[in-house]
Amino acid sequence: MRIVYLKMAVAISACVVVLFACRKNAATEQLTTPSEEALGKIYNLGFSNKNVRIDEDGNYVVEGDIILSRADLDAAPGMQFFRVGVEEQYRTNNLVTGPRVIKVSLSSKLPTSYRAALDEALARYNAENLSLTFQRVSSGADISIIKGNGNFLASAGFPTSTGQPYSQIKVNSNAMNGQPQGTVASVLAHEIGHCIGFRHTDYMNRSYSCGGQAVNEGASTAGAVYIPGTAVGPDPNSWMLSCIGSGQNRPFNANDKIALNFLY
């Protein structure tokens, strides 16, 4: 998810509340920073160019947990969309073609407890009777959940122009150590949401779920398409909010279900 996007804090006091981020900062800062040219391209694609990092594979991590490759930065959007309202449900231009079964695998390097959490996340989607159904597999996956080693909690990308889901979710299990199954399931469901084309619900103001300075995630260009019928004001429990609190569980709320059923 950009499930939780606030930077991870070292717990010095028992009273400290930790927020995770879909690609949250964990321990150290990346030494490699993007160029001004790259930041400009990220902004022109409709993403926030604040706090952008480069991961271990050379990809850009934007908005806390969204992966953009160097090729993505040079892609020319085919059309332009205006962002409207304040906090609403948004999708990307590319969606996954269906009906189909999306197969999801879980790396053996991740804790075995993640299996139950992944099953819970997939069950949340399957309960909505969408044109996409989800199945956990050991091989031949459309989406592979692997162990990540970066500075963040989890990250994923968006569907391809040919209608395929983004193929990989990276999870830093060390940063999520000790979290209950519901929280892990919510993180995985959030990242799967990115893989099938969802952007953050608090797209226009990430401070709504993350705190801190209000940030509007980019310019009015391709990649942030309003989903009709969803909330036009703050939606406190959406599974696609940028940040989630430690121990919090976020199954789909009413607006989430509207968005899922509208698209799939």
Side-chain angles (χ1 to χ4, degrees):
M1 297 172 76
R2 225 194 149 182
I3 295 182
V4 207
Y5 169 72
L6 290 186
K7 292 185 178 182
M8 293 290 292
V10 177
I12 300 176
S13 166
C15 296
V16 174
V17 176
V18 178
L19 291 183
F20 290 111
C22 264
R23 251 217 152 196
K24 296 183 177 181
N25 291 344
T28 59
E29 296 292 329
Q30 289 277 8
L31 297 177
T32 304
T33 57
S35 66
E36 289 299 319
E37 180 183 10
L39 292 176
K41 290 180 179 180
I42 289 167
Y43 185 85
N44 290 334
L45 285 173
F47 297 94
S48 171
N49 62 2
K50 307 298 183 183
N51 301 316
V52 175
R53 289 173 173 79
I54 300 175
D55 70 9
E56 64 269 25
D57 296 322
N59 296 316
Y60 297 91
V61 183
V62 304
E63 298 173 15
D65 67 334
I66 298 168
I67 298 292
L68 295 176
S69 69
R70 296 180 186 275
D72 290 333
L73 266 58
D74 294 325
M79 60 186 74
Q80 186 166 2
F81 292 87
F82 292 102
R83 295 170 184 161
V84 298
V86 183
E87 286 91 7
E88 304 155 326
Q89 293 276 12
Y90 285 87
R91 69 169 177 88
T92 58
N93 295 335
N94 296 334
L95 295 176
V96 177
T97 55
R100 62 180 293 185
V101 176
I102 304 295
K103 299 177 181 179
V104 186
S105 67
L106 188 69
S107 171
S108 60
K109 295 182 179 180
L110 289 167
T112 56
S113 61
Y114 278 43
R115 296 175 188 171
L118 177 57
D119 288 343
E120 180 179 337
L122 300 185
R124 294 180 185 182
Y125 283 100
N126 291 336
E128 298 306 311
N129 296 313
L130 307 173
S131 62
L132 302 180
T133 55
F134 295 82
Q135 178 183 2
R136 180 164 63 87
V137 298
S138 57
S139 61
D142 301 297
I143 301 173
S144 299
I145 302 176
I146 67 171
K147 183 174 176 61
N149 299 311
N151 290 337
F152 303 93
L153 177 66
S155 64
F158 294 131
T160 70
S161 59
T162 58
Q164 301 300 314
Y166 190 79
S167 62
Q168 190 176 87
I169 295 171
K170 291 183 178 180
V171 176
N172 183 350
S173 57
N174 292 330
M176 219 174 358
N177 187 31
Q179 292 301 309
Q181 179 176 310
T183 302
V184 178
S186 295
V187 170
L188 296 178
H190 178 106
E191 298 301 336
I192 291 170
H194 284 317
C195 290
I196 64 173
F198 282 91
R199 293 197 66 170
H200 294 137
T201 303
D202 50 349
Y203 174 83
M204 298 299 288
N205 181 4
R206 283 205 335 272
S207 68
Y208 178 70
S209 68
C210 299
Q213 182 181 4
V215 176
N216 180 313
E217 295 181 349
S220 57
T221 188
V225 186
Y226 170 60
I227 300 174
T230 59
V232 293
D235 192 6
N237 298 310
S238 174
W239 105 106
M240 290 307 296
L241 285 173
S242 299
C243 297
I244 190 173
S246 177
Q248 188 173 4
N249 187 11
R250 282 199 185 136
F252 303 138
N253 69 13
N255 284 314
D256 295 337
K257 293 180 179 184
I258 290 171
L260 284 162
N261 281 277
F262 183 86
L263 295 190
Y264 292 113

